[in-house]
Amino acid sequence: MNTALAHAPHPTRVILVTGMSGAGKSSALKGLEDLGYEAVDNIPISLITSLISGVRGPQRPLAIGVDIRTRDFGITAFLAELDELMTHPELDVRLLFLDCEDSKLQQRYSETRRRHPLAADRPVLDGIRHERALVSPLQGRADVVLDTTDLTLGALGNSLKGHFGLNAVPGLSVFVTSFSYRQGVPREADLVFDVRFLKNPHYVPDLSGLTGLDREVGQFIQTDPDFDAFFRSLASLLKPLLPRFAQEGKSYLTIAVGCTGGKHRSVYVTEKLAEWLRAEGARASVVHRDIGSARE
């Protein structure tokens, strides 16, 4: 065992960041850097252990980017290095896999006019499919898989903080997001609730230009005769689930609340749900993904 590793006073957090090319590895490394990690990209696999053990004394946590562009990259070599690192009790090693829908990856490459590293003179989609077949064993080994197909940079940052925040209190963090069904269900959601059955403020002239963050919209939604019963049922459903998720070792739970336009009903219910979660002692953060939608 390397002596530098053996005498580290506290486990050094190491996040290996991999996944599909174009899925946001650079953004994830930047997000982890903002959280206090030292970020290193595309270091040869054979040098990872040397990088971790090369600094004596307490070390900053590390986020290391590794993908098919990395020199000496190979699935067998990568998994062997991962297994070796995990034998060291002085290290807290996590594997983060970034995924994205093929069509979205193709769109990103088209918009940036970049060549996929495995496409050569073939269509981009061929390179994407080839890469997916190569890296699928890594996804199966990952501690955390993040699908960035519809993930904004802000939502990615929140998710990284929930999973890998350095100052986080042990336990479950809950991320609540409102969304528009027109824009699609958030792919990262663990639980999804549809509130399109509630009275729609969009059809009230004085309210259509407001959002669920405005008091008048909230008051209108609360006049729906089914709202109180719905929210009580929602709270009753979630209350026993939260500690069970925590007991299973889940550190981050994403709850998505959707309506037609993502501007009124889902926004109000999301805010009210986050308020209830905090009153229950949960750590809850909120994002309104589609609040700028034009209409409900």
Side-chain angles (χ1 to χ4, degrees), residues 2 19 35-36 42 79 123 146 164 166 195 210 230 232 243 250 255 259-260 278:
N2 187 288
L35 292 175
N42 285 331
L79 291 176
L146 292 182
F164 305 116
L166 297 172
V195 296
L210 303 178
F230 156 70
R232 285 195 301 270
K250 191 172 181 63
I255 301 174
C259 63
T260 306
R278 293 175 187 131

Side-chain angles (χ1 to χ4, degrees), residues 101-120:
E101 193 175 80
D102 288 359
S103 60
K104 187 67 171 183
L105 289 172
Q106 186 178 24
Q107 177 186 332
R108 290 175 182 175
Y109 275 100
S110 175
E111 290 174 348
T112 60
R113 298 184 179 180
R114 292 170 51 205
R115 177 181 295 176
H116 189 281
L118 294 183

Side-chain angles (χ1 to χ4, degrees), residues 15-68:
I15 309 298
L16 299 179
V17 183
T18 189
M20 295 293 294
S21 301
K25 185 187 69 172
S26 296
S27 297
L29 288 172
K30 179 62 171 65
L32 290 167
E33 194 171 48
D34 291 342
L35 292 175
Y37 289 79
E38 180 180 356
V40 183
D41 198 8
N42 285 331
I43 183 172
I45 291 173
S46 58
L47 297 180
I48 291 178
T49 299
S50 298
L51 171 68
I52 295 170
S53 62
V55 180
R56 298 194 177 268
Q59 301 181 49
R60 287 178 61 191
L62 283 170
I64 303 173
V66 183
D67 62 17
I68 59 171

Side-chain angles (χ1 to χ4, degrees), residues 37 46 49 70 82 103 106 111 132 145 150 152 171 204 222 229:
Y37 289 79
S46 58
T49 299
T70 300
L82 175 63
S103 60
Q106 186 178 24
E111 290 174 348
R132 187 171 296 284
V145 177
D150 300 310
T152 64
V204 180
Q222 284 190 315

Side-chain angles (χ1 to χ4, degrees), residues 92-172:
D92 176 14
V93 182
R94 315 280 180 89
L95 178 59
L96 167 62
F97 188 96
L98 298 168
D99 197 8
C100 183
E101 193 175 80
D102 288 359
S103 60
K104 187 67 171 183
L105 289 172
Q106 186 178 24
Q107 177 186 332
R108 290 175 182 175
Y109 275 100
S110 175
E111 290 174 348
T112 60
R113 298 184 179 180
R114 292 170 51 205
R115 177 181 295 176
H116 189 281
L118 294 183
D121 296 327
R122 296 176 297 168
V124 169
L125 190 56
D126 286 354
I128 293 171
R129 288 170 174 166
H130 184 199
E131 180 182 21
R132 187 171 296 284
L134 286 175
V135 302
S136 58
L138 300 182
Q139 184 170 0
R141 284 289 303 275
D143 297 286
V144 176
V145 177
L146 292 182
D147 190 315
T148 67
T149 302
D150 300 310
L151 212 58
T152 64
L153 284 176
L156 175 61
N158 278 331
S159 187
L160 291 171
K161 184 177 180 180
H163 287 294
F164 305 116
L166 297 172
N167 299 317
V169 178
L172 185 69

Side-chain angles (χ1 to χ4, degrees), residues 213-236:
L213 298 175
D214 293 299
R215 180 174 54 85
E216 298 90 338
V217 171
Q219 290 175 337
F220 175 83
I221 293 172
Q222 284 190 315
T223 64
D224 188 305
D226 293 321
F227 178 81
D228 287 339
F230 156 70
F231 195 84
R232 285 195 301 270
S233 296
L234 178 59
S236 295

